[in-house]
Amino acid sequence: MAWHATGAEILTPAKHAYITDFESGKVLFTKAEEVPMKPASMAKIMTIFVVFQRIADGSLRMDDKFLVSEKAWRKGGSKTFVEVGSRVSVNDLLHGVIVQSGND
């Protein structure tokens, strides 16, 4: 059973919102959808989505490892505390970005 709401039924302190029905693509609710905003953690969500797509298509594995660059290590904000020059598995990187919301 689908839940359909009108804008009056959704109260949120969020500055921006865009809710769609996944199956139909119908827009259910918007708030300030035309106002530019910084992507913040939306970029992390898209990164996670792409990683899971690559895992599903077999071009990436959870035990594949990536070298931590100094640029990544210097990123501000939330940290997962990876070390420069270390090799970190996709599994650990995913945990870092999903659980810790790490920027590094």
Side-chain angles (χ1 to χ4, degrees):
M1 178 176 190
W3 175 75
H4 295 282
T6 64
E9 295 172 335
I10 299 176
L11 300 175
T12 176
K15 294 179 183 177
H16 304 270
Y18 195 87
I19 302 172
T20 61
D21 178 278
F22 179 78
E23 289 183 9
S24 70
K26 180 181 175 185
V27 177
L28 302 176
F29 176 74
T30 64
K31 181 178 178 182
E33 70 276 11
E34 297 294 327
V35 177
M37 61 179 262
K38 292 182 179 179
S41 290
M42 290 300 293
K44 293 175 189 166
I45 293 169
M46 289 306 301
T47 299
I48 294 162
F49 177 77
V50 170
V51 168
F52 281 124
Q53 279 186 319
R54 297 300 175 261
I55 291 168
D57 74 16
S59 63
L60 187 65
R61 296 186 338 244
M62 292 291 271
D63 60 349
D64 286 346
K65 294 189 176 189
F66 287 85
L67 182 65
V68 177
S69 69
E70 185 170 345
K71 180 179 180 180
W73 179 78
R74 289 194 182 278
K75 287 289 182 194
S78 301
K79 296 275 193 186
T80 60
F81 304 104
V82 293
E83 296 293 327
V84 175
S86 64
R87 292 191 147 301
V88 183
S89 70
V90 169
N91 182 62
D92 288 343
L93 291 170
L94 282 171
H95 277 90
V97 73
I98 294 169
V99 177
Q100 295 291 120
S101 191
N103 294 329
D104 53 350

